[in-house]
Amino acid sequence: MNYPNGKRSSIQNNAPRGKKKTDFSNRGMSLEEDINVTNEYYLQAGVAVVHKKPTPVQIVQVDYPKRSAAVIKEAYFKQASTTDFNGVYRGKYIDFEAKETKNKTSFPLSNVHQHQVDHMKSVQEHGGLCFMIIRFTPLDETYLLPSSSMILYWEDQWNGGRKSIPYPYIVKEGIQIPFHYQARVNYITAIDKLYF
Amino acid sequence: MNYPNGKRSSIQNNAPRGKKKTDFSNRGMSLEEDINVTNEYYLQAGVAVVHKKPTPVQIVQVDYPKRSAAVIKEAYFKQASTTDFNGVYRGKYIDFEAKETKNKTSFPLSNVHQHQVDHMKSVQEHGGLCFMIIRFTPLDETYLLPSSSMILYWEDQWNGGRKSIPYPYIVKEGIQIPFHYQARVNYITAIDKLYF
């Protein structure tokens, strides 16, 4: 999560980002926002309980003004040690990272970090359902790719392999995620096809 | 997570708080720190994958100095909308909140918030294992209490019931969590007894 202009609209705005439900066009909303909207719908509809983890921040200095809330005056973004989303579906642990790319022909592995891959491997070993949600923005296509399929390419890059996952591989090994009016990234349908 | 003196020791210190392994006495470490150490051990030993969620922060202003990392100049603590810890154990989703109290005879329900109770109910409905870890600091006793048992008292307080959970109830309905040299709050043993 970056704040390119260094500002959030208002500190009073404590609503989850996914609550912005006025814009129903698929264009213009980030993948993360679409997934937040989807998770909110899943929660309300009793489908699944999935949340985005807060952005990890290293807090250095906090002021405590009289009669007002504590103000963080100095803090730094930390690299996340896990993936962005996790939760429960049908009793199973689910865990995923979401990334969008402007590429049309492949997904660059530079979007993923080693510690995230380590985390995904651990989750797999413990029987969790672990995957990536990858959106090819220019194609307006979004896929669920099992982390195990991603990791094959990840490992191969250290053995002289390519630094990106070809689009046709993702189409073949992944499941395309349909758009749904309320569940904008309706990834549960892909989970059902793949794991249940 | 509060920083009573408004300072962290150093911004360079990116190590998880649980990594402080020099102090092996049980006294003086917070329950949260003990659980972080435990989770790190579980991860390394291949027992389970459980992480504390980052403290949610509302970011208002960020500076981007040349040639250095972005600095958050104004931010506020937000109330967490879920519980503090979640992860995967034997393929199952586990989710819990950890609280310590200075009381000896009961656990005050003011330690818990309505939105956390709502979250716990959702997790239960979806088949996740959901519980509280409660430490009675003066007794040096720590219990795993299923969220369903906690919620009985939670709901009852709105019907004229008491505002705290009696210690004997927690002893009876919960499982005492043993201290283990590496897994300082060895809650997995309690999960095994209760759910598997």
Side-chain angles (χ1 to χ4, degrees):
Chain A
M1 198 158 52
N2 285 312
Y3 303 99
N5 64 359
K7 291 265 184 191
R8 283 302 285 272
S9 52
S10 161
I11 61 163
Q12 264 69 43
N13 176 18
N14 276 316
R17 301 175 73 199
K19 284 263 173 76
K20 287 185 258 160
K21 281 181 180 173
T22 39
D23 176 13
F24 286 106
S25 89
N26 199 25
R27 312 275 168 160
M29 267 182 107
S30 75
L31 178 59
E32 184 184 306
E33 287 170 322
D34 278 346
I35 293 173
N36 285 338
V37 171
T38 301
N39 288 341
E40 182 66 26
Y41 168 74
Y42 285 162
L43 184 65
Q44 299 306 326
V47 175
V49 182
V50 181
H51 290 278
K52 186 185 179 296
K53 291 177 202 164
T55 305
V57 158
Q58 179 78 35
I59 295 161
V60 177
Q61 199 200 329
V62 184
D63 276 10
Y64 295 88
K66 279 178 192 165
R67 284 182 287 277
S68 10
V71 189
I72 299 163
K73 300 295 281 182
E74 186 185 356
Y76 297 86
F77 293 104
K78 286 198 298 186
Q79 204 168 47
S81 56
T82 63
T83 45
D84 266 357
F85 298 89
N86 71 0
V88 56
Y89 175 60
R90 295 202 200 179
K92 297 284 274 182
Y93 176 78
I94 68 173
D95 189 302
F96 60 96
E97 181 71 20
K99 293 288 180 196
E100 49 196 328
T101 177
K102 290 175 180 165
N103 281 28
K104 295 176 187 177
T105 57
S106 68
F107 175 76
L109 287 165
S110 56
N111 282 295
V112 186
H113 303 290
Q114 181 63 51
H115 55 264
Q116 293 179 316
V117 172
D118 294 341
H119 173 72
M120 288 170 166
K121 285 181 184 171
S122 298
V123 169
Q124 286 171 200
E125 280 163 21
H126 289 275
L129 309 184
C130 194
F131 51 89
M132 291 202 60
I133 293 180
I134 297 172
R135 175 177 287 172
F136 291 94
T137 313
L139 306 175
D140 200 17
E141 293 177 10
T142 309
Y143 294 87
L144 183 153
L145 183 70
S147 52
S148 54
S149 303
M150 187 274 287
I151 290 172
L152 290 179
Y153 270 89
W154 179 267
E155 303 290 359
D156 195 47
Q157 72 176 321
W158 313 123
N159 303 316
R162 49 183 295 167
K163 307 283 184 211
S164 62
I165 308 177
Y167 169 77
Y169 175 85
I170 292 170
V171 172
K172 181 169 170 290
E173 297 294 319
I175 304 273
Q176 189 168 1
I177 297 175
F179 176 82
H180 177 277
Y181 184 72
Q182 289 165 297
R184 306 174 64 80
V185 184
N186 196 7
Y187 61 86
I188 288 289
T189 62
I191 290 182
D192 282 338
K193 279 184 199 168
L194 207 57
Y195 299 107
F196 288 96
Chain B
M1 198 160 51
N2 285 311
Y3 303 102
N5 65 358
K7 291 266 186 189
R8 284 302 285 272
S9 51
S10 160
I11 61 162
Q12 266 67 45
N13 175 18
N14 276 316
R17 301 172 73 197
K19 281 265 174 75
K20 287 185 261 161
K21 281 183 178 170
T22 40
D23 176 13
F24 287 105
S25 89
N26 199 24
R27 314 273 169 161
M29 268 183 109
S30 75
L31 177 59
E32 183 182 307
E33 287 170 322
D34 278 347
I35 293 173
N36 285 337
V37 171
T38 301
N39 288 341
E40 181 65 27
Y41 169 74
Y42 285 162
L43 183 65
Q44 299 306 327
V47 175
V49 182
V50 181
H51 290 277
K52 187 185 178 296
K53 290 177 204 165
T55 305
V57 159
Q58 180 78 33
I59 295 161
V60 177
Q61 198 199 330
V62 183
D63 275 8
Y64 294 88
K66 279 179 190 164
R67 282 182 290 274
S68 19
V71 189
I72 299 162
K73 301 295 280 182
E74 186 186 356
Y76 297 86
F77 293 103
K78 285 198 298 186
Q79 205 168 47
S81 57
T82 64
T83 45
D84 265 357
F85 297 90
N86 71 0
V88 58
Y89 175 59
R90 295 201 200 180
K92 297 284 273 181
Y93 177 79
I94 67 173
D95 189 302
F96 59 96
E97 181 71 21
K99 292 289 180 196
E100 49 197 327
T101 177
K102 289 175 180 165
N103 282 27
K104 294 177 185 176
T105 57
S106 69
F107 175 76
L109 287 165
S110 56
N111 282 295
V112 186
H113 303 289
Q114 182 63 51
H115 54 264
Q116 292 178 317
V117 172
D118 294 340
H119 173 72
M120 288 172 168
K121 284 180 183 172
S122 298
V123 169
Q124 287 171 198
E125 280 163 22
H126 289 275
L129 308 184
C130 194
F131 52 89
M132 292 203 57
I133 293 181
I134 297 172
R135 175 177 287 173
F136 291 94
T137 313
L139 307 174
D140 200 16
E141 292 177 9
T142 309
Y143 293 87
L144 183 153
L145 183 70
S147 52
S148 53
S149 303
M150 187 273 287
I151 290 172
L152 290 178
Y153 270 88
W154 179 266
E155 303 290 359
D156 196 46
Q157 71 176 323
W158 313 123
N159 303 317
R162 48 183 296 166
K163 307 282 184 214
S164 63
I165 308 177
Y167 169 77
Y169 176 85
I170 292 170
V171 172
K172 181 169 170 292
E173 296 295 320
I175 304 273
Q176 189 168 0
I177 297 175
F179 176 83
H180 178 277
Y181 184 71
Q182 290 164 296
R184 305 174 64 80
V185 183
N186 196 7
Y187 62 85
I188 288 289
T189 63
I191 290 181
D192 283 338
K193 280 184 197 166
L194 208 56
Y195 300 106
F196 287 95

